[in-house]
């Protein structure tokens, strides 16, 4: 599907020129900073030099004082505490963080991850019964629970208290827990609303240390876990998340926890990891445990304190990841075949597909793959415990959660945010849901939303790219949602030498402009352009600038996002 090239608004020219002069940087880079809301020297200093001292006071979060008081009482009275979390990367890192942190103060503590296939997402009755049967009187739930009103009420009725640490959107009424920590609740004054679930757990640990005047090292030692959750859960890398991700990457690349170190070693040759590396190498491996077996295996790995057990657990996780790849590729092929065989489905504004045999653990990945192919809101469903359970994905600009809200009467439960959600329904409702979902989406989605786009930050000449330009650009990292790696456009470039294919679908070429140096380029999934690139044929190219390391040598490389042949 051809992508639209969309140029970013250029920002205030006077501000750009003043900032470029003050920072002594290229106007193009100053322009990108202004586009991102950075227009003064002081703002630039905070952006380029994140500081842990700038993270927010955890007691600004509604109910934080109640949470600390309840935990203090539990510790004084030697109550048993159960750390409960979701089975994805955010949930498992959150559980590993909270369990490790509070284990410093009590041995009356365990962790619990629900079984994806038997219990499903969120707080389960089975989990609460486990707590009651084993003498736990306090559950600290992470990355889940904000809409588990009935489950929390049930726990209250049998003498089990809850502290909810969640970052998802609440319903109209909050659960009747001892404390509900969620910056997205309407009455919460916490200044940053986009923490990951593990980030909420980190703030709880920070608040506990402040309350007891413990050193910050007691909670900062978990920054690598927080960073992994930020990358994997696709939350904005802005404000507090930028600081946490920045220092989390420093810890990961310097002195990571044993479990993460083992995963890094198993993912390929040693290198400096970025958030993108986490998304594509570390996160899928952590997720694979919960998709193919049980997520407690991921937590077990993250808790490893010695190299031997960490390597062993990492090998186990890698086996599951290989199984996951095979399963999700097969399921994706089956789903694409379902759509291709039905003209009505092809021409819709949405995709809703169902097969009772599909593995529940991979349907989220499959939904993402279908969205990449057809670029429209997508729901993939399978059978589980007498109901249909599904994962939904959206496209930029369209609020998936609001669309599902319009189908709420047809669903048993749902939760998530604008771009991704989970849902369950009775089998007899699937046709009604499919029709309603299509109707809601078709009525509000625009044609532009249904066409993938490349957002271009600035136009530059290749001769502007030098060592200083790249060094400043690198300091804008970590890159992720809300602070993506800048995309540049250059016109009238030509190939030097003959382009060729790497693997089966990746394009390798060398380009230059008049009076510029030559630049090596890689175009992932761009093999289609090979035949169009003729000798001396000018073309326009969109790209990011990165550092490629090959045989321990670093060299600038352009990562091509799209090509247009000039007429």
């Amino acid at each position: 599907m051809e992508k639209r090239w969309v140029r970013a608004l250029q920002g205030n020219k006077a501000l750009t020129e003043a900032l470029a002069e003050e920072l002594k940087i290229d106007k193009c880079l100053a322009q990108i900073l202004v586009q991102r809301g950075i227009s003064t020297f002081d703002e630039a200093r905070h952006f380029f030099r994140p500081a842990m001292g700038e993270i927010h006071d955890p007691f600004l979060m509604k109910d934080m004082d109640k949470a600390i008081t309840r935990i203090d009482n539990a510790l004084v009275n030697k109550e048993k505490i159960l750390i409960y979390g979701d089975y994805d990367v955010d949930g498992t890192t959150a559980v590993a963080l909270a369990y490790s942190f509070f284990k410093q103060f009590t041995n009356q503590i365990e962790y619990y991850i629900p079984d994806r296939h038997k219990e499903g997402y969120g707080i389960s009755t089975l989990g609460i019964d486990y707590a009651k049967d084993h003498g736990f009187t306090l559950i600290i739930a992470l990355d889940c629970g904000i809409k588990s009103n009935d489950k929390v009420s049930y726990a209250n009725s049998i003498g089990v208290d809850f502290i909810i640490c969640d970052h998802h959107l609440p319903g109209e009424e909050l659960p009747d827990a001892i404390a509900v920590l969620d910056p997205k609740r309407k009455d919460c004054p916490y200044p940053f609303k986009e923490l990951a679930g593990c980030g909420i757990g980190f703030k709880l640990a920070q608040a506990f240390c402040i309350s007891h005047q413990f050193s910050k090292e007691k909670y900062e030692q978990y920054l690598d876990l927080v960073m992994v959750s930020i990358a994997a859960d696709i939350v904005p890398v802005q404000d507090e998340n930028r600081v946490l991700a920045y220092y989390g990457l420093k810890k990961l690349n310097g002195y990571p926890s044993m479990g993460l170190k083992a995963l890094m070693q198993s993912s390929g040759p040693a290198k400096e990891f970025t958030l993108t590396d986490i998304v594509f190498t570390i996160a899928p491996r952590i997720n694979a445990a919960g998709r193919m077996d049980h997520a407690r295996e991921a937590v077990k790995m993250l808790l490893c304190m010695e190299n031997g057990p960490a390597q062993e657990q990492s090998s186990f996780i890698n086996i599951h990841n290989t199984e996951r790849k095979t399963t999700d590729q097969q399921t994706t092929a089956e789903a694409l075949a379902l759509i291709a065989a039905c003209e009505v489905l092809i021409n819709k504004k949405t995709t809703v597909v169902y097969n009772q045999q599909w593995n529940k653990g991979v349907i989220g990945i499959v939904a993402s793959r279908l969205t990449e192919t057809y670029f429209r809101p997508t729901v993939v469903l399978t059978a589980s415990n007498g109901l249909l359970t599904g994962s939904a994905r959206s496209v930029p600009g369209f609020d998936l959660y609001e669309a599902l809200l319009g189908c709420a009467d047809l669903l048993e439960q749902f939760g998530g945010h604008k771009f991704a959600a989970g849902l369950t329904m009775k089998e007899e409702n699937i046709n009604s849901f499919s029709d309603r979902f299509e109707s809601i989406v078709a009525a509000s989605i625009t044609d532009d939303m249904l066409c993938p786009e490349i957002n271009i930050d600035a136009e530059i000449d290749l001769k502007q790219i030098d060592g200083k330009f790249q060094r400043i650009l690198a300091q804008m990292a970590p890159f992720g949602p809300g602070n993506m790696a800048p995309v540049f456009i250059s016109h009238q470039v030509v190939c030097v030498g003959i382009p060729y294919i790497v693997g089966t679908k990746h394009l390798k070429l060398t380009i230059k402009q008049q009076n510029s140096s030559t630049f090596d380029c890689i175009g992932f999934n761009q093999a289609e352009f090979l035949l169009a690139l003729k000798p001396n044929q000018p073309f326009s190219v969109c790209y990011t600038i990165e550092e490629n390391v090959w045989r321990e040598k670093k060299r600038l490389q352009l990562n091509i996002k799209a090509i247009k042949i000039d007429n």
Side-chain angles (χ1 to χ4, degrees):
M1 185 180 292
E2 188 173 348
K3 297 179 179 179
R4 291 186 301 122
W5 293 22
V6 180
R7 291 285 297 271
L9 295 174
Q10 299 309 292
N12 185 297
K13 188 175 180 181
L15 279 178
T16 296
E17 290 178 353
L19 191 62
E21 176 64 28
E22 198 168 11
L23 298 178
K24 302 293 187 285
I25 62 173
D26 190 291
K27 285 183 182 179
C28 165
L29 294 174
Q31 173 191 303
I32 291 170
L33 291 174
V34 170
Q35 287 168 352
R36 299 183 184 199
I38 300 156
S39 56
T40 68
F41 181 89
D42 197 46
E43 288 170 348
R45 180 174 60 82
H46 285 291
F47 179 75
F48 284 119
R49 302 287 182 268
M52 282 299 293
E54 296 172 355
I55 67 173
H56 303 301
D57 179 352
F59 285 99
L60 292 174
M61 198 175 294
K62 183 78 172 177
D63 281 2
M64 185 62 82
D65 53 343
K66 295 178 183 177
I68 298 302
T69 298
R70 180 65 185 89
I71 292 169
D72 283 343
N73 289 339
L75 295 175
V76 168
N77 296 320
K78 294 183 167 47
E79 294 178 55
K80 293 184 73 175
I81 301 172
L82 188 65
I83 307 297
Y84 189 113
D86 189 23
Y87 38 66
D88 67 0
V89 176
D90 193 15
T92 51
T93 53
V95 167
L97 184 156
Y99 175 81
S100 297
F101 176 79
F102 286 110
K103 196 167 175 57
Q104 297 176 93
F105 312 103
T106 178
N107 60 5
Q108 299 293 301
I109 187 167
E110 288 183 24
Y111 62 88
Y112 185 99
I113 306 284
D115 186 294
R116 180 192 293 264
H117 303 279
K118 295 177 183 176
E119 297 169 77
Y121 169 77
I123 310 296
S124 72
T125 303
L126 202 64
I128 295 169
D129 288 342
Y130 174 89
K132 178 65 175 177
D133 293 345
H134 292 81
F136 293 94
T137 50
L138 175 62
I139 296 177
I140 301 176
L142 297 127
D143 193 34
C144 60
I146 195 63
K147 295 179 78 174
S148 299
N149 301 40
D150 56 337
K151 301 297 192 301
V152 173
S153 295
Y154 170 64
N156 290 339
S157 73
I158 58 174
V160 177
D161 288 343
F162 260 95
I163 292 172
I164 303 291
C165 304
D166 205 349
H167 69 125
H168 296 100
L169 287 166
E172 287 299 313
E173 292 185 17
L174 297 174
D176 186 21
I178 295 294
V180 178
L181 307 179
D182 188 338
K184 290 190 177 78
R185 57 184 285 186
K186 291 177 182 177
D187 60 347
C188 182
Y190 196 74
F192 184 58
K193 305 297 182 182
E194 301 297 336
L195 289 167
C198 187
I200 308 292
F202 181 82
K203 301 307 291 187
L204 181 66
Q206 183 193 10
F208 187 86
C209 287
I210 291 172
S211 176
H212 292 276
Q213 297 183 313
F214 293 141
S215 70
K216 62 184 181 180
E217 286 76 22
K218 279 194 180 293
Y219 61 89
E220 288 187 358
Q221 63 181 303
Y222 304 111
L223 280 166
D224 51 355
L225 291 174
V226 180
M227 176 276 302
V228 168
S229 77
I230 288 170
D233 227 51
I234 322 294
V235 292
V237 188
Q238 296 171 322
D239 198 284
E240 192 165 29
N241 279 344
R242 176 172 172 79
V243 179
L244 297 174
Y246 180 87
Y247 285 98
L249 278 168
K250 278 187 173 295
K251 183 176 187 303
L252 186 83
N253 287 308
Y255 45 100
S257 63
M258 279 296 176
L260 289 176
K261 183 178 181 180
L263 275 186
M264 292 164 72
Q265 290 171 342
S266 69
S267 67
K271 63 174 181 175
E272 189 92 353
F273 271 69
T274 66
L275 289 189
T276 301
D277 295 321
I278 300 301
V279 170
F280 289 106
T281 62
I282 301 298
R285 286 170 165 80
I286 296 174
N287 262 331
R291 295 186 191 282
M292 307 310 295
D293 184 16
H294 200 293
R296 65 172 164 258
E297 297 297 337
V299 177
K300 184 178 176 182
M301 180 198 61
L302 294 172
L303 293 174
C304 285
M305 301 295 289
E306 297 177 0
N307 185 55
Q311 292 292 344
E312 184 179 335
Q313 196 66 14
S314 173
S315 297
F316 183 64
I317 294 288
N318 275 320
I319 290 170
H320 283 315
N321 192 46
T322 301
E323 294 171 353
R324 185 273 306 168
K325 285 181 184 177
T326 302
T327 303
D328 87 54
Q329 287 168 1
Q330 180 182 337
T331 306
T332 299
E334 291 173 2
L336 287 170
L338 272 179
I339 299 168
C342 179
E343 192 172 341
V344 173
L345 263 181
I346 291 172
N347 294 321
K348 282 189 170 186
K349 299 287 177 71
T350 62
T351 297
V352 179
V353 288
Y354 162 61
N355 185 320
Q356 65 178 2
Q357 301 300 323
W358 287 340
N359 186 316
K360 183 180 177 182
V362 302
I363 57 175
I365 300 173
V366 174
S368 295
R369 302 239 196 276
L370 297 186
T371 305
E372 289 169 8
T373 303
Y374 285 96
F375 212 76
R376 60 195 188 190
T378 297
V379 180
V380 179
L381 295 153
T382 188
S384 178
N385 300 321
L387 293 169
L388 303 191
T389 187
S391 283
R393 298 292 183 270
S394 192
V395 293
F398 185 80
D399 193 329
L400 176 67
Y401 187 86
E402 283 297 316
L404 292 177
L405 200 59
C407 304
D409 59 304
L410 298 171
L411 303 174
E412 296 302 297
Q413 65 177 36
F414 70 99
H417 47 79
K418 288 182 179 181
F419 303 115
L423 62 153
T424 59
M425 71 180 79
K426 293 176 180 175
E427 187 171 4
E428 59 263 31
N429 286 342
I430 184 171
N431 290 333
S432 297
F433 169 79
S434 183
D435 291 344
R436 175 97 60 87
F437 187 61
E438 169 70 17
S439 176
I440 290 171
V441 172
S444 54
I445 202 164
T446 66
D447 288 342
D448 281 352
M449 290 179 195
L450 292 166
C451 178
E453 62 185 29
I454 296 174
N455 293 297
I456 300 164
D457 292 274
E459 178 181 339
I460 61 173
D461 293 327
L462 293 181
K463 64 183 179 183
Q464 290 175 252
I465 306 171
D466 57 17
K468 180 183 177 182
F469 189 97
Q470 169 59 13
R471 284 193 298 276
I472 295 168
L473 194 62
Q475 290 179 54
M476 295 177 68
F479 296 119
N483 184 47
M484 299 299 287
V487 176
F488 300 99
I489 184 172
S490 296
H491 300 294
Q492 292 290 301
V493 306
V494 294
C495 284
V496 177
I498 301 172
Y500 59 96
I501 301 300
V502 178
T504 58
K505 52 188 177 181
H506 309 314
L507 182 66
K508 270 292 253 184
L509 66 159
T510 302
I511 65 171
K512 67 170 293 183
Q513 263 178 331
Q514 189 175 14
N515 301 323
S516 83
S517 301
T518 60
F519 288 88
D520 292 336
C521 306
I522 181 73
F524 293 106
N525 301 309
Q526 305 282 344
E528 63 193 90
F529 290 106
L530 180 65
L531 297 179
L533 296 172
K534 308 293 185 186
N536 301 315
Q537 167 69 57
F539 58 94
S540 299
V541 61
C542 294
Y543 54 90
T544 57
I545 304 169
E546 58 191 25
E547 212 170 44
N548 184 41
V549 181
W550 176 248
R551 293 179 179 171
E552 299 184 1
K553 290 185 178 179
K554 293 182 178 180
R555 184 168 180 173
L556 287 185
Q557 174 177 267
L558 308 186
N559 188 326
I560 292 179
K561 304 301 177 184
I563 291 171
K564 279 185 181 177
I565 307 300
D566 294 341
N567 296 320

